[in-house]
Amino acid sequence: MQARLKVFRFDPDRDGTSRHQVYQIPWSEGLSVLEALRYIYEHLDGSLAFRNYHCGRGLCASCLMSINGQNKRSCHFLVSHEEEVTVEPASGYPIIRDLVVDFGIPRPEGSVRDGVTVHRGAVAE
Amino acid sequence: MYETLRTDVLVIGGGAAGVRAAIAVAEKGLSVMCLSKAPISRSGITPVAGEGIEAAVAPGDSPRHHYEDTVKAGRGLADEVLVNAMAQEATPRIEDLLSYGTRFKKNPDGTLAQSPRPGQKHARNLFLMGGGWGLMASLFRKAGSLPGLVIREDTQVLRLVTSGSRVAGAVVLDVRTGAVFGVEAKATILASGGYEELWPVTDCPPECTGEAMLMAARLGGELIDLEMVLYYPTVIVFPLAARGWMVQYEYIINPDILGGRLINVHGEQFVKGFPARDELIMAINREIAEGRGTAHGGVYADLTNSPYGREELTRRMEAWLNQFRNLRQVGIDLRDQMVEMAPAAHYCLGGIGIDEYGRTGMEGLWAAGEVTGNVHGANRLSGNALTETQVFGYRAAADAVAWAAGQDWPGGDFQAGVAEEIKNIARWTSAREGLRPIQLKRRLQEIMGKWVAFDRNETFLKNALAALDELEPELAKLRVDGHRRYCQEVREAHEVLHMIPLARAVIAAGLERKESRGHHMRADYPGLLPEARHTVIKLAGGISVSSRPVRKLAHSGGCV
């Protein structure tokens, strides 16, 4: 089975306007958008820019992207083999290239950050 | 002319040690630039660290107990002078964190709460709200409030620059723009973390590649006990959606917390009590080696039979296990299913040798945090890694500031350094054919995973060297994508260029240590030698391997 990802591409130095590029990759149970992007980068297209340096498990939020129009952590968003996934840079931040944005200064825990409430790890007071 | 910036102190690394050091420099009124490979509080190991940080603040506990527990856990290899400094200053550094707004779990009476870990006489792990991320975010906020503290994210150190025998700063790549520039500094503090990415299975993020540490060693620093890589016993290997996630066994198997168990493929519980990390790894390793491992090479963590009812277990999981919620997001529910776990590279005990002031022996260069090599010894207690970042980040900064205040600008040939690095990048981007850095990294990791994991012997280690002999010439064939903006492949080429020689140094240290101690387990030398000695690798002017005794506290009374 295959997964289809429609991925935002834009280099402000080179491109007048952005475009979307479609990638097809092998699908397996539990495939996250982040893992899919890693697969694309490693096996299909080394020019695709996303934040390769990430924790991969929902703690660091480096992998925040707009997925099907909503800001999500891509390590936690699973790809379906039935529907194409649209992956774009996280909205609300300046774009560096492709899916990489400048997050700027983080806000305190407990605030609403990146469209999700900041709630990390074990919280029991 | 290429751009060269000036800062009194340059800090390489944006994790807990680096940012703590930068705060201490700025508070003394000197200018400081902190370089981070990726956005601070979203990168490095600190944000993914567990919530434990050790400090003897509880009634009945004391720095002396902290010292004794840490030395004992180090299996004879912990530098007692460094451990003493850490135990003495853990509490003042926690007080600093409280003043920055770092939040800790508290008892009903408002005092800081502790949880127990193996190897502690008293429960000593303070509980950081939000885990390592909570610590990092509060350090970052504090750093952001200080004038004179400049943070540069998405940067990569390409080389250290010297002036005579003095470290004078660095040549840096701005990954966001592709620009290469110099940073001249009176003092440089290395806080660049570990090198877990040499291995295929690690619970650390992929930027932990060790190149800055190798650069320092090439200029004259000593690499101490590089063979000592702390494996965390329980990192998920299956299901794949959570591969590389650590889940704290200290909570899973604690009957007072979650009441779970670790079992082999036959459903047998193979450990009793509350084993330390190295002890549990040996036990898991034995199950796997003797054919009682799971399909994906691990053992099962089982919480499905917890004596706590579902409602109470849920409450406890949410309170204690920071991965519970995240695992559910990717479709894994620890209440209903067992997961397969195996040891994975978690923390580099070895690294650059320091003294109690964070000095590296090189003029102008200090180091703090995981990049250093002689603090914990052959095994580390849970919670001491974050304590180390705060104590030695502060100590290195205080000493560097005192020294830098009386120094002139060092000079150094930044122009030639930048020009050479630009030439390297042009060679990689203009190559039409060749190998991508990620391909070389994967080949390196395969070698290290096969021959230099936690089950070692001379044949394995020599096989690894032979495989590296074949791999190393391939570095001449590097080719990378030509985008200047967010030039990830350029940085990865630079990393792998250093990772292969670093792997050689790790193996050389592993061959030198002909014994099994802590996290270095040699099947061909299963016993302990009577005297614990540090392995010492020097790289300036070719690799040399030696050993030296471990520093003991001068008087036998122990911790002062």
Side-chain angles (χ1 to χ4, degrees), chain B residues 78-289:
Chain B
D79 183 316
E80 294 183 3
V81 183
L82 299 182
V83 175
N84 185 40
M86 184 164 78
Q88 294 294 334
E89 294 180 8
T91 301
R93 296 293 80 80
I94 295 296
E95 286 163 4
D96 290 349
L97 289 175
L98 287 165
S99 78
Y100 304 160
T102 310
R103 290 166 60 235
F104 292 87
K105 194 182 210 171
K106 294 194 173 154
N107 295 315
D109 66 358
T111 56
L112 296 174
Q114 282 86 26
S115 71
R117 298 299 156 93
Q120 297 176 344
K121 284 193 199 82
H122 291 261
R124 194 177 301 121
N125 269 35
L126 307 180
F127 194 109
L128 286 157
M129 303 301 286
W133 183 85
L135 170 65
M136 205 59 243
S138 61
L139 286 169
F140 193 18
R141 276 198 305 277
K142 175 66 182 175
S145 74
L146 293 169
L149 196 162
V150 173
I151 288 164
R152 292 288 296 255
E153 297 177 327
D154 293 321
T155 49
Q156 176 82 22
V157 171
L158 300 179
R159 66 169 64 192
L160 296 175
V161 175
T162 52
S163 175
S165 61
R166 177 177 169 189
V167 174
V171 171
V172 179
L173 169 69
D174 183 336
V175 174
R176 291 184 183 181
T177 62
V180 180
F181 58 96
V183 182
E184 184 184 359
K186 293 174 181 173
T188 300
I189 300 173
L190 195 61
S192 51
Y195 43 94
E196 291 86 351
E197 190 65 6
L198 295 186
W199 285 271
V201 185
T202 168
D203 64 348
C204 297
E207 61 267 31
C208 305
T209 44
E211 64 276 2
M213 183 181 77
L214 190 82
M215 287 174 212
R218 282 178 166 167
L219 293 178
E222 288 183 339
L223 295 171
I224 306 292
D225 297 337
L226 272 197
E227 73 283 7
M228 289 294 173
V229 176
L230 188 151
Y231 280 77
Y232 192 77
T234 50
V235 174
I236 296 175
V237 290
F238 194 83
L240 290 177
R243 183 179 162 87
W245 299 20
M246 76 165 277
V247 183
Q248 288 105 324
Y249 80 89
E250 291 96 337
Y251 299 143
I252 294 175
I253 66 174
N254 187 330
D256 298 328
I257 296 182
L258 297 177
R261 52 194 196 134
L262 296 171
I263 56 175
N264 63 22
V265 77
H266 304 306
E268 297 156 348
Q269 217 168 328
F270 57 89
V271 277
K272 293 213 164 58
F274 207 22
R277 292 167 175 189
D278 53 347
E279 295 161 349
L280 181 55
I281 286 166
M282 267 191 280
I284 293 175
N285 193 18
R286 192 176 55 237
E287 294 306 301
I288 296 170

Side-chain angles (χ1 to χ4, degrees), chain B residues 287-333:
Chain B
E287 294 306 301
I288 296 170
E290 293 175 7
R292 296 185 295 275
T294 60
H296 301 88
V299 295
Y300 289 114
D302 177 20
L303 284 155
T304 62
N305 285 315
S306 165
Y308 300 105
R310 192 173 177 85
E311 201 176 311
E312 174 63 11
L313 181 63
T314 304
R315 198 188 67 72
R316 285 167 178 261
M317 297 265 241
E318 286 182 342
W320 289 98
L321 216 52
N322 66 356
Q323 296 294 27
F324 174 59
R325 205 177 284 263
N326 291 327
L327 285 165
R328 286 179 75 189
Q329 294 249 5
V330 295
I332 299 166
D333 192 330

Side-chain angles (χ1 to χ4, degrees), chain A residues 9-15 19 28-32 35 38-64 72-78 93 95-111 113-114 116 118-125, chain B residues 37-43 47-49 51 103-106 127-131 133-134 137 140-141 144 153-154 156 175-177 197 202-207 209 240-241 243-246 317-323 325-327 329-331 436-439 441-442 481-489 491-492 495:
Chain A
R9 305 296 309 266
F10 180 51
D11 180 352
D13 287 346
R14 295 185 179 186
D15 307 330
R19 64 196 163 89
S28 59
E29 186 75 46
L31 178 73
S32 67
E35 282 300 318
R38 286 199 69 92
Y39 183 92
I40 293 167
Y41 174 77
E42 290 201 28
H43 300 282
L44 303 176
D45 186 355
S47 76
L48 176 65
F50 62 103
R51 290 202 173 274
N52 300 53
Y53 292 164
H54 47 243
C55 74
R57 68 191 102 137
L59 298 170
C60 77
S62 287
C63 68
L64 189 84
K72 300 275 184 196
R73 289 176 194 179
S74 58
C75 66
H76 275 179
F77 195 97
L78 300 187
Y93 302 96
I95 295 171
I96 296 173
R97 181 162 74 84
D98 295 345
L99 301 171
V100 181
V101 298
D102 180 358
F103 287 117
I105 304 292
R107 288 176 287 282
E109 189 178 0
S111 66
R113 176 191 185 193
D114 313 333
V116 289
V118 176
H119 178 84
R120 309 262 177 157
V123 176
E125 276 186 291
Chain B
K37 283 181 125 176
I40 289 187
S41 91
R42 293 177 183 252
S43 65
V48 301
E51 62 299 311
R103 290 166 60 235
F104 292 87
K105 194 182 210 171
K106 294 194 173 154
F127 194 109
L128 286 157
M129 303 301 286
W133 183 85
F140 193 18
R141 276 198 305 277
E153 297 177 327
D154 293 321
Q156 176 82 22
V175 174
R176 291 184 183 181
T177 62
E197 190 65 6
T202 168
D203 64 348
C204 297
E207 61 267 31
T209 44
L240 290 177
R243 183 179 162 87
W245 299 20
M246 76 165 277
M317 297 265 241
E318 286 182 342
W320 289 98
L321 216 52
N322 66 356
Q323 296 294 27
R325 205 177 284 263
N326 291 327
L327 285 165
Q329 294 249 5
V330 295
R436 296 180 54 208
I438 194 73
Q439 295 173 294
K441 280 187 181 177
R442 296 290 177 249
D481 174 68
H483 285 84
R484 281 173 59 85
R485 259 182 188 259
Y486 206 77
C487 47
Q488 172 68 17
E489 279 213 298
R491 125 191 304 186
E492 288 201 58
E495 287 170 347

Side-chain angles (χ1 to χ4, degrees), chain B residues 9-76:
Chain B
V9 179
L10 173 65
V11 177
I12 299 171
V19 176
R20 182 64 188 85
I23 289 169
V25 173
E27 284 185 328
K28 297 279 184 190
L30 269 63
S31 62
V32 55
M33 180 185 288
C34 181
L35 303 175
S36 182
K37 283 181 125 176
I40 289 187
S41 91
R42 293 177 183 252
S43 65
I45 299 178
T46 307
V48 301
E51 62 299 311
I53 180 166
E54 280 202 49
V57 301
D61 202 359
S62 71
R64 187 185 181 110
H65 292 317
H66 187 179
Y67 166 86
E68 287 168 357
D69 289 347
T70 303
V71 167
K72 186 175 176 208
R75 314 291 187 228

Side-chain angles (χ1 to χ4, degrees), chain B residues 525-540:
Chain B
Y525 296 100
L528 273 175
L529 290 175
E531 186 199 3
R533 294 175 70 85
H534 291 302
T535 61
V536 181
I537 306 268
K538 293 182 186 174
L539 297 175

